[in-house]
Each structure stands twice: as structure tokens, then as C-alpha cells.
Amino acid sequence: MARVQDKVAIVTGAAMGLGAAIALRLAEEGAKLMLGDIDADALETSAANAKAAGAEVETLVGDVTEEGPAAALIQGALDRFGQLDILVNNVGGSRNSKIWEMPVEDWDHTVKLNLRGTFLCTRAAVPHMMERKAGKIICLSSGAREGTPWTAYYQGGSAYSACKAGVHGFIRDVALELAEYNINVNAVGPGPIDTERAGATLRQMNETVEYSPNHMTPLGRLGQPKEVADAVLFLASDEASYISGHTLAVAGGR
Ligand SMILES: NC(=O)c1ccc[n+]([C@@H]2O[C@H](COP(=O)([O-])OP(=O)(O)OC[C@H]3O[C@@H](n4cnc5c(N)ncnc54)[C@H](O)[C@@H]3O)[C@@H](O)[C@H]2O)c1
């Protein structure tokens, strides 16, 4: 029996990076998928990979930091598959700069990207999960929730760290609110992961700077997207039925 056989899962930001890896891993373990992203072409590629792994897949192109597209993503899953079991709030990212020179627009952009979509998708998904008294919600936090030395030292990352600590606070509270409805709400906190977007910068840092990701990470290497996807899969499965309100570090020992 596959680990999420016939469960219906939504993954936001599923076109690239960790979202694509999470979608593929859930597909390999039997889930039916509703995948959302703003990048239509890359989303089709990700959907094709999930289909090749045996999944039924629906896609929706839209910005989940806005109310309409976030609600449409949830409704799209219900329309196509009739239920929703798993929501993965993966969309996030950062505009980095040192605190003394960060434009207010960059602060606002980062807060919106990491927190607003997570809030909007969760709000839209939970009435259905509450009715069925079942559901798993997994959000993408980060090791940055406690500060990231290499980012802080060389670029500045306070907006991103504040947001990812915010994701931890979000899942702590929502887990309490939804406990009586048998809905598990958790996060994963990845360390430096070798994705298409972040990988090049992380590898360059490993070659050029003293406080590098490899140097500051006990396991001494970058993580792979699949290693994060495996942790999300665990939290989405029945194996994690007594875990809620927890941020699982997938950060090479940091
Ligand atoms: N890569 C890492 O090292 C790392 C480490 C810790 C945490 N994270 C977190 O993991 C998550 C995924 O990271 P990633 O590195 O794969 O990111 P990424 O930038 O590579 O991919 C993000 C995906 O989301 C999509 N997207 C962006 N804005 C969107 C929006 N408003 N609506 C819908 N889709 C949107 C993009 O098109 C892209 O496909 C993020 O929350 C990130 O903060 C990543």
C-alpha cells in the first residue's frame, strides 16, 4: 500500500524547486494532485512528471497571495476530485538586503509571499477538512526562522527570517484551533537545499566565503529537494497521525 494512496493533495508553487519535488514524491506514493503556480510552462512540466509517476493531476495557474486564485485552487481540487486531504503551503521566497538599507517594498513583498498565501490557502481549505474531521496541512518554514548565518552575514535576511518564524507561529496556533477537528498542522524547516533557484548561490558561497552553508551545516553538504519532499510526505501520511503543531528541521543538523 502506498503511503498516501488515493489522498487528494494540493501543492502551491509546484512548478519548480521544492514544490515540484514534493508533488513528484506525493505522486509516487499514490496521491491525486492539484498543483498551483504562476509559471504556466514549468507547471505543465511538473504536472507531466507527476502523471508519469502514475498520478491524476489538475493544474491551476494563479497567484496564491491573492484571495481569488487561492480560493480557486482549493475549489478546483474539490471540483475535480471531490475531497481534499492534504494541503502543502510551499510558496515562499525572499528579497534580501541588510536591515539598514532594505526598501519597505522588499519587506512587504517578502511578508506577502511567505505568509499571505499560506493564510489564504489554509483558510479556504479548512472548512472542508473540518466537515470531514480529517486533514493534513504542511507549511514550508525554514532554518531561517532562527536566522541564517551566511545569508545574514553576506546579504541580510531579516524579512525572510521573520516570515519563516511567522510560519512556525502560524502552524502552532492553527494546530490548536483545528485539533478538535482531527486536522494535523505542521511545517518543515529546510536548511540550504540545492534547488534550481537557490542552488547556484549556495554553491557559489561554498566556494568563496568563510561562513558558507557547508561550513555552518554539521552534515557538511547541501540538502537535496527529495530530502525535503520525504519529510513532507511523512507529515502528510498516516505515520504522522499523532504529530501536530511541529516544525520538523530538515537542515543537516543545524
Ligand atoms: N531552497 C531552499 O534552500 C529553501 C530553504 C528553506 C526553505 N525554503 C522554502 O521552501 C519553499 C520553496 O522554496 P524553493 O527554493 O523551491 O522556491 P523556488 O523559488 O525555487 O520555487 C517557488 C515556486 O513558487 C512559484 N511561485 C512564486 N510566487 C508564487 C505565487 N505568488 N503564487 C503561486 N506560485 C508562486 C514559483 O513560480 C516557483 O515555481 C519556499 O517557501 C522557501 O522559502 C527553501
Side-chain angles (χ1 to χ4, degrees):
M1 187 70 169
R3 292 164 70 190
V4 285
Q5 189 66 47
D6 295 327
K7 302 286 188 194
V8 177
I10 293 176
V11 183
T12 71
M16 303 271 289
L18 298 183
I22 292 164
L24 182 60
R25 199 67 195 92
L26 290 170
E28 290 168 346
E29 292 293 337
K32 301 173 183 178
L33 295 174
M34 178 77 198
L35 305 180
D37 207 286
I38 48 174
D39 183 337
D41 291 343
L43 185 60
E44 278 318 305
T45 303
S46 179
N49 291 338
K51 282 178 192 163
E56 291 177 49
V57 183
E58 189 71 54
T59 58
L60 190 127
V61 178
D63 176 355
V64 293
T65 68
E66 299 297 340
E67 276 191 282
L73 188 66
I74 308 302
Q75 194 55 50
L78 295 174
D79 290 347
R80 167 75 191 263
F81 300 116
Q83 67 187 61
L84 173 60
D85 301 289
I86 299 160
L87 169 64
V88 182
N89 287 309
N90 168 71
V91 163
S94 185
R95 286 182 188 162
N96 288 334
S97 53
K98 298 280 190 177
I99 185 63
W100 57 88
E101 55 194 20
M102 182 179 289
V104 72
E105 296 78 17
D106 287 4
W107 175 275
D108 288 346
H109 171 85
T110 303
V111 170
K112 188 177 182 192
L113 188 58
N114 289 280
L115 291 175
R116 202 164 187 251
T118 294
F119 153 63
L120 288 172
C121 290
T122 303
R123 188 182 66 173
V126 294
H128 170 78
M129 290 179 170
M130 290 164 73
E131 203 174 297
R132 294 178 67 221
K133 284 205 178 314
K136 310 266 194 225
I137 299 171
I138 302 107
C139 302
L140 268 287
S141 179
S142 168
R145 71 192 181 284
E146 295 180 32
T148 305
W150 53 91
T151 310
Y153 194 80
Y154 297 105
Q155 300 175 331
S158 60
Y160 185 68
S161 289
C163 291
K164 293 309 193 183
V167 170
H168 177 70
F170 179 80
I171 63 106
R172 292 288 303 156
D173 195 279
V174 177
L176 294 171
E177 294 179 34
L178 295 176
E180 65 179 296
Y181 298 98
N182 191 37
I183 299 168
N184 304 63
V185 188
N186 293 294
V188 293
I193 310 297
D194 194 3
T195 55
E196 299 98 314
R197 180 189 55 81
T201 307
L202 293 168
R203 273 182 270 109
Q204 191 194 18
M205 279 185 165
N206 279 335
E207 286 166 18
T208 55
V209 303
E210 188 181 353
Y211 298 114
S212 68
N214 281 10
H215 181 66
M216 304 298 290
T217 299
L219 285 180
R221 64 172 177 84
L222 303 181
Q224 292 304 308
K226 180 178 177 295
E227 295 179 295
V228 178
D230 281 335
V232 172
L233 171 66
F234 166 64
L235 291 171
S237 75
D238 289 339
E239 295 158 25
S241 54
Y242 202 49
I243 300 173
S244 198
H246 181 69
T247 295
L248 176 58
V250 188
R254 272 193 70 232

